[in-house]
Amino acid sequence: MASHWPENVGIRAIEILFPSQYVDQTELETFDGASAGKYTIGLGQAKMGFCSDREDVNSLCLTVVSRLLERQHVKHSEIGRLEVGTETIVDKSKSVKSVLMQLFAESGNTDIEGIDTTNACYGGTAALFNAVNWVESSSWDGRLALAVCADIAVYAKGAARPTGGAGAVAMLVGPNAPLILDRGLRATHMEHAYDFYKPDLSSEYPTVDGKLSIQCYLSALDTCYRLYRKKFDQQQKDTSKQPASLSTFDAILFHTPFCKLVQKSVGRLSFNDFLLSSEEERTKQFPDLERFNTATLESTYFDRDVEKAFMTQSANIFASKTKKSLLLANQVGNMYTPSVYSGLVSLLISGPAQELVGKRIGLFSYGSGLAASMYSISVTQDAAAFEKFVSQLDYVQPLLNSREKVAPEQFSALMEVREKNNHAAPYTPTGSISALFPGTYYLKDVDALHRRTYERTPTISNGVH
Ligand code: CAA
């Protein structure tokens, strides 16, 4: 049976989008009256991207999908499945996917499966898995799939506000991909929790129990990692390869609500490796940590000694396998569903492509409420194909550098406009159109029946940005 599957199914192209405006986190500390260093050092955030009332989840997805198809010269008729993952809901019935079908109207291609998936920041991973599963299934008709994730992460004034952000990612999925999802190596953990949720359908803001959300994130990480290790070891059992550990990955990426949590997460995985290692391995690989021999996972989510010891122990691993993936998270903030995929883009643009050829990347995706998966991606051995794939991302750093800084006062005023007019109808947004990047779809207006109309800022010469 396996021989009939298409080979090397995964990500053939990836496109990222972030807001054209940001607020500086040092300035935000002062504006909010927070102690200096709380957002920048304590949370590890430098800048936070945000959208005015000119952008919503539909416009972000229209922009990112258009750009991907244009940049990759993919015909609309070549797409057979389109999945959207988002938690930014503007309509309780009409999907974002159905809005995106406007882009396919001219081509006449309406034969496109897939719809929206929602569970906090996990929807993007569900979209990607659905797209990959379709290509590997008996339903596949030989065309390509698109997995799209987009969110506007905004919080009410208070402790959570500096952990906002926004963005969108579109991934073209098909066989013979440069980034191949490893078969049989997905470890999932789902359970019921009220750590972060959006029960007030009239508001964009979540209800958050910050501390509980961190505990849920770390405990889902523990469970997924242990399960991944088990599945990896089962797959390798006929070979003499080392059992799974942090060494299994050449890079390891995480859903990133704020960068500091990711550094702690690498420490947490190292703590898991420690607890799962033999006495002999402990002495060799974890010198001077025997005082934690009797520590348990459950009792240590907020244990400062364990946290500090294993962050120190794993500092080199963090520096070599994870830090590069935090570029966009540090500069834009939490994108919710695209977050872990912004980590993938950050890694891809962070150094010479050759260094990643043939390597294994681990990914941890977390959505509150809660749904989480750890899985891995193998980078193709075809260096030329991979370099070409990565070179398509050459626009990311210049685009990031070209953003406009906005004062916290103006950011706060724009948040109030969003807050006041969320779901207003009829409504004409007031946010600046000239501040948007070229080729950006924006909300033109909402009519009395809540129907949204979008327009696009002019593209520049190559038709893309
Ligand atoms: N200089 C340096 N560091 C400082 C500082 C200063 N002046 N002041 C405070 N700090 C440090 C603190 O010591 C703390 O670090 P440690 O935890 O390492 O000690 C850090 O800054 C944050 O300070 P607090 O813990 O006091 O922050 P807080 O409680 O006011 O808020 C938060 C932090 C709970 C994360 C809040 O921002 C929040 O609720 N955010 C939204 C929820 C979230 O992001 N949860 C993450 C997991 S859930 C998830 O992943 C899904 C998702 O995307 C939402």
Side-chain angles (χ1 to χ4, degrees), residues 35-38 41-43 121 155 159-160 163 195-196 208 210-211 213-214 217 255 257-258 260-261 264 304 307 334 336 366 368:
S35 60
K38 180 172 178 187
I41 300 163
L43 298 174
C121 311
Y155 292 90
T163 58
D195 59 328
F196 164 114
V208 199
K211 202 166 171 202
S213 74
I214 292 169
Y217 178 107
H255 167 64
F258 53 94
K260 193 65 172 290
L261 186 60
K264 291 183 184 187
R304 296 284 177 188
E307 185 180 287
N334 192 356
Y336 289 167
Y366 176 81
S368 292

Side-chain angles (χ1 to χ4, degrees), residues 179 182 225 228 245-254 262 266 269 316-326 340 343-348 350 355-364 374-379 386:
L179 296 179
D182 292 334
Y225 182 54
Y228 181 94
S245 69
L246 273 172
S247 323
T248 303
F249 306 108
D250 301 291
I252 178 146
L253 322 181
F254 299 80
V262 168
V266 176
L269 296 186
N316 289 338
I317 298 175
F318 172 74
S320 60
K321 300 189 179 186
T322 300
K323 199 170 174 205
K324 291 174 188 166
S325 70
L326 295 179
V340 66
L344 184 57
V345 170
S346 300
L347 173 74
L348 294 171
S350 66
E355 284 179 11
L356 283 169
V357 172
K359 299 289 167 67
R360 177 180 279 114
I361 303 168
L363 297 97
F364 174 66
M374 181 171 279
Y375 66 102
S376 53
I377 284 177
S378 289
V379 178
F386 186 62

Side-chain angles (χ1 to χ4, degrees), residues 79-387:
I79 303 298
R81 191 168 184 113
L82 196 167
E83 296 274 342
V84 178
T86 184
E87 60 168 292
T88 307
I89 307 300
V90 290
D91 193 296
K92 283 181 274 178
S93 172
K94 185 173 164 51
S95 62
V96 177
K97 156 68 180 296
S98 65
V99 175
L100 290 175
M101 289 310 295
Q102 291 173 101
L103 299 175
F104 295 82
E106 203 183 318
S107 73
N109 179 14
T110 57
D111 177 19
I112 305 179
E113 288 187 4
I115 214 75
D116 298 4
T117 305
T118 297
N119 189 86
C121 311
Y122 185 79
T125 294
L128 177 62
F129 285 0
N130 287 346
V132 169
N133 292 350
W134 177 68
V135 175
E136 292 187 341
S137 77
S138 64
S139 309
W140 188 49
D141 64 3
R143 288 184 294 166
L144 297 167
L146 277 174
V148 184
C149 35
D151 276 306
I152 296 176
V154 282
Y155 292 90
K157 279 184 185 161
R161 180 158 273 191
T163 58
V169 164
M171 292 170 274
L172 189 66
V173 173
N176 306 318
L179 296 179
I180 305 148
L181 268 77
D182 292 334
R183 279 184 181 154
L185 287 178
R186 291 185 198 166
T188 290
H189 173 72
M190 299 203 183
E191 69 172 274
H192 169 63
Y194 277 124
D195 59 328
F196 164 114
Y197 49 109
K198 294 180 177 164
D200 180 355
L201 296 172
S202 67
S203 168
E204 284 198 291
Y205 300 144
T207 301
V208 199
D209 182 335
K211 202 166 171 202
L212 177 64
S213 74
I214 292 169
Q215 181 174 332
C216 287
Y217 178 107
L218 293 175
S219 94
L221 177 66
D222 290 339
T223 310
C224 288
Y225 182 54
R226 286 172 171 238
L227 188 57
Y228 181 94
R229 281 182 47 134
K230 212 160 138 191
K231 291 190 176 182
F232 184 91
D233 292 349
Q234 272 161 3
Q235 253 192 22
Q236 309 285 327
K237 70 176 183 302
D238 297 333
T239 70
S240 55
K241 286 209 176 129
Q242 289 291 313
S245 69
L246 273 172
S247 323
T248 303
F249 306 108
D250 301 291
I252 178 146
L253 322 181
F254 299 80
H255 167 64
T256 307
F258 53 94
C259 294
K260 193 65 172 290
L261 186 60
V262 168
Q263 198 170 346
K264 291 183 184 187
S265 296
V266 176
R268 189 77 193 168
L269 296 186
S270 170
F271 178 48
N272 273 275
D273 280 352
F274 168 81
L275 293 179
L276 292 168
S277 59
S278 64
E279 207 171 307
E280 191 193 336
E281 285 164 347
R282 275 189 197 182
T283 325
K284 250 194 340 214
Q285 292 169 25
F286 300 93
D288 306 324
L289 291 173
E290 48 298 319
R291 65 190 182 283
F292 299 113
N293 279 351
T294 56
T296 63
L297 293 175
E298 300 71 33
S299 63
T300 52
Y301 293 117
F302 298 102
D303 182 320
R304 296 284 177 188
D305 291 339
V306 168
E307 185 180 287
K308 192 160 170 245
F310 286 91
M311 274 172 82
T312 307
Q313 163 71 22
S314 61
N316 289 338
I317 298 175
F318 172 74
S320 60
K321 300 189 179 186
T322 300
K323 199 170 174 205
K324 291 174 188 166
S325 70
L326 295 179
L327 171 73
L328 286 162
N330 169 265
Q331 294 290 307
V332 179
N334 192 356
M335 295 184 182
Y336 289 167
T337 50
S339 171
V340 66
Y341 302 101
S342 85
L344 184 57
V345 170
S346 300
L347 173 74
L348 294 171
I349 64 169
S350 66
Q354 306 92 285
E355 284 179 11
L356 283 169
V357 172
K359 299 289 167 67
R360 177 180 279 114
I361 303 168
L363 297 97
F364 174 66
S365 177
Y366 176 81
S368 292
L370 64 85
S373 292
M374 181 171 279
Y375 66 102
S376 53
I377 284 177
S378 289
V379 178
T380 177
Q381 302 278 0
D382 182 341
F386 186 62
E387 273 180 46

Side-chain angles (χ1 to χ4, degrees), residues 65-90:
V65 170
S66 304
R67 284 183 180 171
L68 182 127
L69 296 178
E70 287 158 4
R71 199 187 303 282
Q72 304 300 328
H73 306 291
V74 173
K75 291 199 198 85
H76 291 85
S77 57
E78 289 177 75
I79 303 298
R81 191 168 184 113
L82 196 167
E83 296 274 342
V84 178
T86 184
E87 60 168 292
T88 307
I89 307 300
V90 290

